[in-house]
Structure formats: C-alpha cells, structure tokens
Amino acid sequence: MKLGTAEAEPGEIATGYLSVTELPTGQPEHVPVVVVEGEKPGPTVWATGAIHGDEPTGMEAIHEFVDRIRDDPLEGTVVCVPVMNPSGFRTNTRTSYYDGDDPNRYFGLEGGDGETPPRVQQLICDRLYEAIRPSADAVISLHTSWIATYPYTIRPRVSYGDHRDETEATELRDRLVELVDAFGLPVVNQFGHDETTQRSLQHTLTGAAIADGIPAFTPELGGRFVVEKDVCEAAVVGLRNVLYALDMVAEPATPETRFELPADTDLKRLVHPHTDTAGIVRYRVREGEWVEPGDAVADIVTPTGERKTEVRVDHRGYVLSRYDRVAVYENDPVLDMAVPDDEPLLLNRSN
Ligand SMILES: [Zn+2]
C-alpha cells in the first residue's frame, strides 16, 4: 500500500507524509503516516490521532502500538495517521489556526456552500477522507476529553432508511458492537439523533465513516493536554484486540488496567447538569462516580468563597468528565455524564 510518501511492501512498515495543502510560506502542510502491511492480505484498519490538536494520547498510543505489532505476523493492513490536525498540534489547540475551525466537523460534507468555496480545513478533511474511505474496513478515531475524564468509547448510532436497508444497517451495527467491545473501554452510545445532528456530529470522521457503511468509533482516552499512561496503554491493547477481532493477528492482548462502568442497560452521552447561576464551580463528585437524581454534584460559590447555590442532577448515571475550568456563566455545563440510553442503537430514519 502507498499513502503519501509511505509505501510498504508485504511484511514491511513504512513511514512518511501525506501532503494535504500548501502553507503561505511555501512548505507543504503534511500529516505523518505509518503503513503496516501484513505478509498476507486481509482487512484494512485506520487508526487516527490528534484531529484535535490538544489531544496527544491517541498519537502516543499509535506510536507504541506500531512498535508492538512490528514483529507479529499480520494479515491485512494497518494505516495510522498519528496527527490529523498538524496546525492545532503545533499550537496545542483543539482547532486548526487557518480559520479557527474544528476539523472534526468537516468530514463527508461534499462540496461548498453555493457560491462560497470550501475553506482550507474542509479541503484538508476531504483529502484525508478520500484516502481513508476507499480502503477502510474499520476506522478508530482516537480522542481525549476534558482533563478530568474517565476513559470510554463513544459508539455511534447506525440508521437505516432511504440511504441503507435494515439488513445492511443491522450488519453494520453488529460489526460495530463487536469491534467496540474488543477495544475494551467502557461503552457509551452517542447522543440521541437530534442532539447528534444539532452538534454536527454526523460530520466527524466517525460520523462520516458510519454514513458510508464503515464501522467506526471514537475512544475518549482520558484528559487532553497530557498523556495518561494507563489509558494510553489500554488504547494500545485495545487497538491490538480490534485486529484480533478482525482475524488480523493470532493472539489478543490483556490490559494491565481495566476501565469499567458497569450498568444494567446501555449508556448514552449526556451533557448534564448545567448551572443556572454564574460563579465559581466547586465539584463534589469526580469522574467514574455513579450519581442518583437529586444528588448535589457541585456548589457554585462567590469569589470570596460563600456558597450561592447547589447544582443537582436529574438523571442517574456515571460522571464521565468534570469540565476543565472553575469560572462558569449562566447555563454553562457542569458535567459530561453517561446515563441510561432511551434510544435504540439502530435507528429507523425512513419517513
Ligand atoms: Zn477530540
């Protein structure tokens, strides 16, 4: 397989760069690529990191993962893009600096908006996705969340209707469930359909791949800015176990640390609760804790330390993240939660 300047023959690993646009100062903007070509043919798995530039754990997990599968007989191909957003990576920010865009909202958009040509970030995403789509049998888009985060995998919903029949969608869902389970982190379903659309999450890399029938998911590897070693290790093991589930390697790996959020039902993402009062947030809970409706999860205090109000939850579920700031305005979110899911993973979108 050849990708950019990386060309690997069977049994080889090649590294190189894929040019995605040109910088005003004359250099190419290119993303690093690693192609691991198995001795024998088989599925092609893509693993990507740092589409948000301040989320380095996926990149490090990819580096370590490639190192560990180096000497194993592999059937199929693993293609890694450790840094999908080089400009955000250079500036340690989520967005790219060309126009301040979130790159992970530009996949599968196709074309510009009438008279306005697409911005450079969309062109870059189009070029990346043109490389990914034709070959991918699975896509793992590695991310991190807020600093205080319990690791988990976001499992996207799969729909059927005019675009895809129910049998195909069921097969895609089953494959997705299998691969997400193999990855091994706690599973949290994507927001409900309306919230997903409102947040343009159908245009994440994972969202676009799912729309094209490719199993894809989004591990959230703990907090941003720093590499949490135990979570990174879990991701290295998870990547290998996805290959094992696809019969690409002979042996699975065993995680050193097991991250678990046991529940008697599927969980889904929910940004909840929000504070109705501005002030300084003082948390009473932390990531990984279970809360019940009515529990006070935070106090809002004044700058001189007096309590103004309490913030309570309306749902039972796990705290996934505390937000990484203490100053809050009216209606700012206080937690990301995993709550019992009230929507199916397989959605009927036919009218
Ligand atoms: Zn991210």
Side-chain angles (χ1 to χ4, degrees), residues 50-55 94 102 104-105 141-145 218-220:
I51 183 79
H52 295 134
D54 56 358
E55 302 180 2
R94 177 181 178 87
D102 181 339
N104 207 30
R105 300 293 183 272
S141 176
L142 299 163
H143 283 248
T144 63
S145 187
T218 310
E220 296 281 355

Side-chain angles (χ1 to χ4, degrees), residues 2 14 85 98 100 103 112 163 172 183 207 219 224 233-234 237 252 258 342:
K2 186 179 187 319
N85 173 6
Y98 325 113
H163 57 300
L172 175 58
F183 193 80
R224 61 187 182 153
E233 172 62 26
V237 169
R258 244 181 221 293
D342 50 6

Side-chain angles (χ1 to χ4, degrees), residues 193-205:
H193 177 265
D194 294 347
E195 180 92 13
T196 296
T197 311
Q198 219 172 61
R199 292 173 180 262
S200 297
L201 298 177
Q202 70 275 33
H203 297 304
T204 61
L205 173 57

Side-chain angles (χ1 to χ4, degrees), residues 67-106:
D67 226 41
R68 280 195 221 171
I69 58 165
R70 196 169 284 280
D71 300 321
D72 279 351
L74 176 73
E75 294 188 18
T77 309
V78 181
V79 189
C80 302
V81 185
V83 179
M84 290 277 278
N85 173 6
S87 89
F89 190 73
R90 289 192 287 270
T91 50
N92 197 31
T93 50
R94 177 181 178 87
T95 53
S96 56
Y97 60 62
Y98 325 113
D99 290 298
D101 293 314
D102 181 339
N104 207 30
R105 300 293 183 272
Y106 276 115

